Amino acid sequence: MSGTERLRSEPRREDERRAAERGQAQPPRLVVIGNGMAGARTVEEILSRGGDFAITMFGDEPYGNYNRIMLSNVLAGVEDESGIFLNDLSWYTDNGITLHAGRRISRIDRFAKQVYAEDGTATPYDKLIIATGSRAFVPPIPGIHRPGRGYHQGVFAFRTLDDTRSMIRYAREHERAVVIGGGLLGLEAARGLQNHVSHVTLLHAMGHLMNTQLDAQAGAILQRSVEQLGIEVVCDAMTTEILGKHAVTGVKLADGRVIDCDVVVVAAGIRANTEVAAASGLVVERGIVVDDQMRAQDEPDIYVVGECAQHRGETYGLVAPLWDQAKVLADHLTGRDPRAAYHGSRIATKLKVAGVDVASMGLKEPERDDDETLIFSEPRKGIYKSVIIRDGRLVGATLVGDVKKVAFLMQAFDRGLALPEDRVELMFDLGGPPAEVSAAELADDAQVCNCNGVTKATIAETVHGGCKTVSGVMDKTRAGKGCGTCKSLVAQIVEWAAGGAVEEDPRASWYVPGVPMPKPELMAAIRTHDLRSVSSVFAKLVPGGQEDAKSKMGLASLLKMMWGEDYVDERDARFINDRVHANIQRDGTFSVVPQMKGGVTTPAQLKRIAEVAEKHAVPMVKLTGGQRIDLLGVPKEKLPEIWADLDMPSGYAYGKSFRTVKTCVGSDFCRFGVGDSTALGIALEERYQGIEGPGKMKLAVTGCPRNCAEAYVKDLGVVAIDGGRWEIYVGGAAGAHVRKGDLLATVESPDEVITLTGRFLQYYRENANWLERTYAWVPRVGIEHIRAVVVDDTEGLAAGLDAAMDASVAAYRDPWKERAQPATPGQFRTSLPLVVLPQVPVR
Amino acid sequence: MTVLGHLEDIPPGEGRTYDVHGEMVAVFRLRDGSVRALSAVCPHRGGPLADGQIDHEVVVCPMHLMAFDLTTGCSLSGQPDLTVYPVTVDADGYLVIASLTASEVPS
Ligand SMILES: Cc1cc2nc3c(=O)[nH]c(=O)nc-3n(C[C@H](O)[C@H](O)[C@H](O)COP(=O)(O)OP(=O)(O)OC[C@H]3O[C@@H](n4cnc5c(N)ncnc54)[C@H](O)[C@@H]3O)c2cc1C
Ligand code: FES
């Protein structure tokens, strides 16, 4: 490594020598110790101000600068290592920066103005920036170290990429982890470790979680939410010993309790890296003491930035303050604003901690008798909100679980805004226009993305600079690329800044990620080139013919819809569920759901299902939410036999397709029924069974507005109303997303319901993006537009839609007939070594 | 040298699992005609990788859609990496894994 580094720095010296010979002024030499978030950010700020320095950076870690915050995501397996780098090596070369990655500085000679690396090399500076950050604080618990050899086997800190890598490597092969420390870092570690070990216990020495940011009640609510994720939490837990001779086997608590574990992660706080500064004679207390220009005390040419700096008695442990510090320092060093001064940061944080939204600012509890406090707590939902008001100004707020009001509160807190007379509006949106503080209201320098320190002004400038897509702005500014909680606000600001002229990110409009075309264009191209198979689409429409595994299923669905019987069905384009016509379960077995139109069955059918379940020892028989019977735990190789024994058509409980029509009892039996919902439901299912689409299509018909079949929250729901008429609702949902459907039309007869249903579904099939359910598609396109096309036929599309749907209906074949002869070799051969799979318990 | 079976046992673009001396190996037949062999069990939650969808670079586990590089076995989503086995197709179209004997998973 050092060889190449030297080589790289050689040309510069050569340049300098030549420049000196020619008598040109050389740029001053700027040396930065610490190549972390603060150091690299400061250099970026200097460069963006056109600062002319010969820059050399030293970093203890052998990498370019990465986003430390994202280590939580790396541990949790939701982010690749490669995705967290903020400055890759080419950034340093492109900007003429000499980077010594993996080289630690051990001493500063303030008088000779040189820094010495551990290998003895000296580097002179004109200006020096110290940005050495912090390290994990590891309390002196007996057994935590091995004499002379670092941590005990199985003990890890959580600060660097290397820490994270070794933790993952070790945890994978072990079972039980203990995390010491119930602050932000400990919670993130615990959550991430769940991805690697089966049991995680979090030990916290204090009375409640995140005690520096939260009061006891909020901490308790956070604890419940965290426990619901399967993390065991022990508060007031003083760890007194790490047990285990060769490797960790457990930890011992002060009350004598022993918790067995084979991995221990210490997240008990951080300490500023100040040793080098102290040894070199700088003034050091908890951090390196600086003035308002971030200058080390009594040192005209040495500056300090980031977690290692102590400003007006404060050190910080979050990134937001260091963005402010970096700006001030860059303004000062480049002479852009000689009066730039840092006045400290008001810490307002908005975080996702172990998957739970948490925001806190200012006081966590009232301090004076006349402080006004409002508290709302709904433990069952994991929601807690409190605000503290003094003399009509917001001086503290805490939000757990629901942070919708955070932008407004942060603004009020930062600027001391006047507060609404109805204090409750600080916590909730009461009727009226929505929501979050609107993009226009937000102050220019309001920080939108805390993780990456991006203000509203920066986002607006980027938009005005010509980048008018949300994802483009996110890429350029990094806003929204940390914990992600601010994404919707970023989108709103882009929209506002573009004055309505937001451009869709082209990729966001692609039907599938691997083919660069929006759906209408894609369909046109498929028709023009007569592409009938998924592989031909890749070959013809993707530059380079690159296949994309994640796009195959969406293309298969689209082609099937477009070509019906003429579709060339390549089996590998299907998802496993569609290859074997059953829904894969967590243990690799499948679930079998026979069709039961409208949820109506017969004694004979029930008997047959019972016999089949008994004969094949089906581990679980369950009623589904769609009014059918589910046989769970069927091995793949048994599927054809079970279908044969059942001799019932497939219920399509596995595909991105028409699923069921849920019905209520209807007018035949129900005292309240005004329309024969059961008959209509059966008719709908009969006609549209198995039709594939961009997403699942769940329907319902209900016989009166009491809505027993939940028709208001279906992709398409039909409600019988007085006078023999029927209302059709579309775009409803009651899964992870809940939405009441929009009224599409009120019609006079069941026949009209059937026609409009087909037309609506076909319009959805042709226009929605892959995996876009109707609850997203309907509001995106707008119910008025859909009504115009489907009901009023203002665009003259109706006949075409009806014909296309007729063709699809005609092409329908029951896939469970595909059993005598497998469609491909080994179609039903087992793919799983049952021995190692977690088996679903037999009930 | 272990013969697993004929290439034609695997449909183009799909994978099948073989029991190679107690080790579960997923063999994939890419659409360009080449083959890849990897450990068959997804290190995430034990998903059956042979049931996953592939392209020329990756296999996507059907359970939670974690992706793995077909050639190196490297996880692209922070999971442990997969073992890669050297697999070839002989002149008669049989799949051959170096220095292991195999029996097919009974079906
Ligand atoms: C897992 C994790 C999750 C986090 N999550 C959040 C979050 O959600 N929100 C938030 O606001 N903050 C979070 N933080 C904190 C945030 O990462 C830090 O505040 C930030 O990284 C501080 O930046 P820094 O540049 O001061 O220090 P660092 O990023 O630590 O950089 C300092 C660098 O200097 C190097 N160095 C030290 N001594 C020397 C030397 N003598 N010679 C050469 N190099 C040296 C170090 O190796 C290091 O690379 C998190 C931190 C961790 C570890
Ligand atoms: S088991 Fe493979 S992705 Fe979860």
Side-chain angles (χ1 to χ4, degrees):
Chain A
M1 164 126 273
S2 60
T4 56
E5 294 303 334
R6 286 222 183 78
L7 278 180
R8 209 181 299 153
S9 54
E10 234 47 80
R12 176 174 302 284
R13 288 206 199 110
E14 190 60 18
D15 282 351
E16 285 165 6
R17 193 177 51 75
R18 263 186 260 132
E21 277 168 8
R22 287 196 300 271
Q24 290 170 358
Q26 297 167 28
R29 290 162 301 188
L30 174 67
V31 170
V32 183
I33 310 178
N35 180 34
M37 298 187 73
R41 179 63 163 235
T42 306
V43 170
E44 282 186 340
E45 296 280 359
I46 290 174
L47 294 173
S48 77
R49 285 165 179 71
D52 188 20
F53 292 95
I55 304 175
T56 305
M57 300 186 76
F58 288 89
D60 202 2
E61 296 181 71
Y63 311 104
N65 173 41
Y66 59 85
N67 190 341
R68 201 169 298 286
I69 296 177
M70 303 297 264
L71 291 178
S72 311
N73 286 356
V74 171
L75 182 65
V78 297
E79 183 85 38
D80 276 358
E81 274 182 16
S82 59
I84 72 170
F85 280 89
L86 295 172
N87 305 89
D88 56 17
L89 294 176
S90 63
W91 176 81
Y92 296 88
T93 359
D94 293 350
N95 289 292
I97 298 166
T98 308
L99 170 67
H100 297 286
R103 207 176 308 172
R104 206 184 135 71
I105 293 297
S106 52
R107 194 163 64 83
I108 304 163
D109 186 335
R110 297 181 287 145
F111 306 104
K113 294 179 79 171
Q114 304 216 19
V115 297
Y116 293 90
E118 270 185 341
D119 60 5
T121 51
T123 308
Y125 65 80
D126 297 310
K127 299 279 176 193
L128 177 67
I129 297 177
I130 305 176
T132 48
S134 314
R135 63 177 176 284
F137 166 65
V138 179
I141 301 170
I144 209 161
H145 291 282
R146 276 182 303 181
R149 281 201 297 160
Y151 300 133
H152 195 39
Q153 173 100 13
V155 175
F156 299 89
F158 189 22
R159 176 76 194 178
T160 63
L161 183 55
D162 285 345
D163 288 343
T164 313
R165 282 184 180 166
S166 21
M167 197 189 315
I168 293 175
R169 215 175 299 130
Y170 194 84
R172 255 182 215 162
E173 267 133 45
H174 293 82
E175 286 301 314
R176 303 175 71 85
V178 158
V179 176
I180 300 178
L184 162 71
L185 213 54
L187 284 158
E188 292 279 294
R191 181 69 175 140
L193 282 165
Q194 280 192 301
N195 191 36
H196 306 283
V197 299
S198 54
H199 198 96
V200 179
T201 309
L202 182 71
L203 304 179
H204 188 45
M206 299 298 166
H208 64 269
L209 295 179
M210 287 188 78
N211 53 288
T212 42
Q213 290 92 350
L214 304 181
D215 66 18
Q217 213 179 337
I221 286 182
L222 176 63
Q223 177 169 348
R224 275 180 63 134
S225 303
V226 169
E227 282 168 346
Q228 269 162 17
L229 299 169
I231 297 168
E232 201 174 312
V233 179
V234 188
C235 288
D236 292 315
M238 279 298 295
T239 313
T240 53
E241 197 181 343
I242 308 288
L243 306 171
K245 192 155 183 240
H246 303 294
V248 172
T249 57
V251 300
K252 192 167 180 179
L253 303 185
D255 60 10
R257 242 186 311 172
V258 168
I259 298 175
D260 292 334
C261 65
D262 36 32
V263 182
V264 170
V265 173
V266 186
I270 54 172
R271 291 290 179 270
N273 286 323
T274 56
E275 290 69 13
V276 172
S280 311
L282 299 183
V283 181
V284 170
E285 291 172 5
R286 271 178 309 129
I288 308 167
V289 178
V290 297
D291 63 16
D292 287 357
Q293 276 70 47
M294 306 310 295
R295 198 170 12 216
Q297 193 170 318
D298 305 327
E299 294 294 334
D301 295 316
I302 303 182
Y303 299 85
V304 187
V305 67
E307 284 185 350
C308 60
Q310 177 180 330
H311 174 261
R312 299 192 189 173
E314 289 284 342
T315 54
Y316 297 97
L318 290 165
V319 291
L322 67 85
W323 310 136
D324 300 338
Q325 297 177 355
K327 280 196 196 116
V328 170
L329 181 48
D331 277 342
H332 173 78
L333 274 177
T334 57
R336 161 78 71 96
D337 177 2
R339 282 172 314 167
Y342 178 63
H343 302 294
S345 298
R346 305 192 74 179
I347 291 292
T349 52
K350 184 181 65 177
L351 303 162
K352 234 193 173 64
V353 188
V356 183
D357 284 315
V358 176
S360 78
M361 57 203 85
L363 302 182
K364 56 176 183 168
E365 274 153 323
E367 284 173 350
R368 297 194 202 153
D369 286 348
D370 57 353
D371 282 348
E372 249 180 274
T373 327
L374 277 77
I375 296 180
F376 172 82
S377 148
E378 193 177 3
R380 197 174 49 90
K381 285 201 187 148
I383 294 177
Y384 177 86
K385 310 181 185 198
S386 80
V387 297
I388 302 166
I389 301 164
R390 180 177 297 165
D391 304 329
R393 301 278 179 255
L394 185 68
V395 292
T398 304
L399 304 171
V400 176
D402 170 6
V403 295
K404 283 205 239 8
K405 294 297 284 187
V406 69
F408 173 73
L409 290 172
M410 279 192 172
Q411 177 120 314
F413 174 74
D414 263 355
R415 272 152 239 280
L417 301 184
L419 302 177
E421 208 28 60
D422 264 334
R423 298 295 202 229
V424 66
E425 286 173 21
L426 286 167
M427 291 185 168
F428 303 98
D429 291 317
L430 298 176
E436 300 139 39
V437 71
S438 81
E441 280 168 53
L442 213 63
D444 270 353
D445 58 345
Q447 187 137 302
V448 176
C449 172
N450 282 324
C451 294
N452 286 316
V454 186
T455 59
K456 173 180 161 187
T458 311
I459 296 178
E461 277 161 29
T462 312
V463 173
H464 297 142
C467 179
K468 293 199 163 54
T469 69
V470 176
S471 55
V473 169
M474 283 174 59
D475 282 343
K476 271 223 166 71
T477 60
R478 296 189 199 126
K481 297 212 140 182
C483 69
T485 47
C486 63
K487 272 187 201 155
S488 71
L489 189 56
V490 173
Q492 287 170 34
I493 294 172
V494 172
E495 204 161 299
W496 164 81
V502 176
E503 289 159 19
E504 290 267 311
D505 170 20
R507 278 170 308 176
S509 70
W510 297 352
Y511 170 66
V512 285
V515 186
M517 285 182 193
K519 190 165 178 178
E521 234 174 87
L522 176 61
M523 287 173 65
I526 287 172
R527 282 207 191 89
T528 315
H529 299 289
D530 195 32
L531 307 173
R532 299 184 183 215
S533 69
V534 171
S535 61
S536 68
V537 171
F538 286 125
K540 190 83 200 173
L541 302 182
V542 180
Q546 190 85 358
E547 286 188 6
D548 176 47
K550 291 189 174 169
S551 301
K552 287 186 167 182
M553 193 180 171
L555 290 174
S557 160
L558 182 67
L559 291 170
K560 178 82 197 303
M561 179 205 47
M562 291 176 62
W563 296 114
E565 305 217 57
D566 297 328
Y567 163 59
V568 177
D569 181 9
E570 291 164 342
R571 283 287 173 146
D572 62 312
R574 299 182 177 207
F575 184 62
I576 182 65
N577 286 4
D578 300 311
R579 290 185 196 166
V580 301
H581 320 298
N583 199 350
I584 191 165
Q585 306 293 307
R586 58 174 290 204
D587 63 351
T589 61
F590 291 82
S591 86
V592 172
V593 183
Q595 188 180 57
M596 209 166 263
K597 289 181 198 135
V600 178
T601 182
T602 61
Q605 228 179 24
L606 289 173
K607 266 190 217 152
R608 185 139 18 101
I609 293 173
E611 276 158 15
V612 170
E614 216 161 50
K615 171 173 167 197
H616 295 280
V618 170
M620 175 145 112
V621 181
K622 173 153 189 347
L623 300 184
T624 71
Q627 301 186 332
R628 301 170 314 168
I629 294 178
D630 195 348
L631 307 177
L632 290 135
V634 179
K636 188 158 76 175
E637 57 277 20
K638 269 201 170 180
L639 290 170
E641 205 186 327
I642 292 210
W643 297 334
D645 289 347
L646 280 171
D647 197 23
M648 292 168 67
S650 165
Y652 275 93
Y654 43 82
K656 301 295 172 218
S657 61
F658 181 99
R659 289 291 185 86
T660 59
V661 184
K662 190 167 177 167
T663 65
C664 64
V665 178
S667 50
D668 275 3
F669 288 90
C670 178
R671 286 183 290 141
F672 302 105
V674 292
D676 190 350
S677 50
T678 329
L680 179 53
I682 293 174
L684 283 171
E685 188 159 351
E686 184 101 42
R687 180 163 165 81
Y688 300 116
Q689 57 188 344
I691 295 293
E692 62 293 314
K696 294 182 256 195
M697 290 163 269
K698 296 184 172 180
L699 283 73
V701 185
T702 204
C704 75
R706 285 162 194 269
N707 191 26
C708 295
E710 299 156 1
Y712 296 132
V713 290
K714 295 292 179 192
D715 294 291
L716 186 144
V718 184
V719 181
I721 57 172
D722 258 342
R725 292 177 310 149
W726 304 85
E727 288 176 339
I728 304 176
Y729 289 85
V730 293
H737 186 97
V738 179
R739 179 176 194 271
K740 183 176 183 229
D742 300 318
L743 182 62
L744 176 71
T746 306
V747 298
E748 304 292 332
S749 69
D751 280 347
E752 281 170 277
V753 171
I754 293 176
T755 310
L756 285 187
T757 297
R759 206 180 287 159
F760 169 80
L761 291 181
Q762 184 64 22
Y763 193 52
Y764 164 66
R765 296 170 79 202
E766 291 186 10
N767 288 281
N769 287 328
W770 177 235
L771 302 185
E772 185 179 29
R773 290 285 299 270
T774 61
Y775 68 73
W777 177 72
V778 169
R780 176 166 74 82
V781 179
I783 183 69
E784 288 76 22
H785 174 77
I786 295 176
R787 190 180 299 122
V789 171
V790 172
V791 185
D792 305 327
D793 193 18
T794 52
E795 301 194 6
L797 297 175
L801 292 171
D802 292 350
M805 184 50 105
D806 283 345
S808 290
V809 169
Y812 171 77
R813 302 274 173 282
D814 174 20
W816 284 4
K817 291 264 153 60
E818 194 177 271
R819 59 192 180 223
Q821 198 62 50
T824 57
Q827 181 186 7
F828 298 106
R829 206 173 85 191
T830 181
S831 283
L832 42 107
L834 283 160
V835 271
V836 295
L837 284 168
Q839 310 228 329
V840 172
V842 177
R843 278 164 218 257
Chain B
M1 296 283 269
T2 304
V3 177
L4 300 179
H6 201 274
L7 179 64
E8 293 302 322
D9 294 345
I10 309 178
E14 293 194 35
R16 293 288 181 260
T17 306
Y18 295 85
D19 175 350
V20 184
H21 275 328
E23 233 165 297
M24 297 295 164
V25 178
V27 182
F28 296 93
R29 175 178 176 191
L30 276 54
R31 278 200 162 264
D32 64 7
S34 62
V35 288
R36 306 275 188 280
L38 301 158
S39 29
V41 186
C42 178
H44 178 230
R45 298 278 157 79
L49 289 172
D51 283 344
Q53 288 191 287
I54 62 167
D55 50 34
H56 294 305
E57 270 83 46
V58 302
V59 52
V60 181
C61 175
M63 286 290 183
H64 314 95
L65 309 184
M66 303 270 180
F68 299 86
D69 189 301
L70 275 172
T71 311
T72 62
C74 287
S75 162
L76 304 174
S77 38
Q79 298 300 313
D81 300 335
L82 302 173
T83 313
V84 185
Y85 300 89
V87 64
T88 47
V89 183
D90 73 9
D92 301 321
Y94 284 92
L95 293 162
V96 181
I97 277 197
S99 70
L100 289 168
T101 50
S103 61
E104 216 171 276
V105 177
S107 52

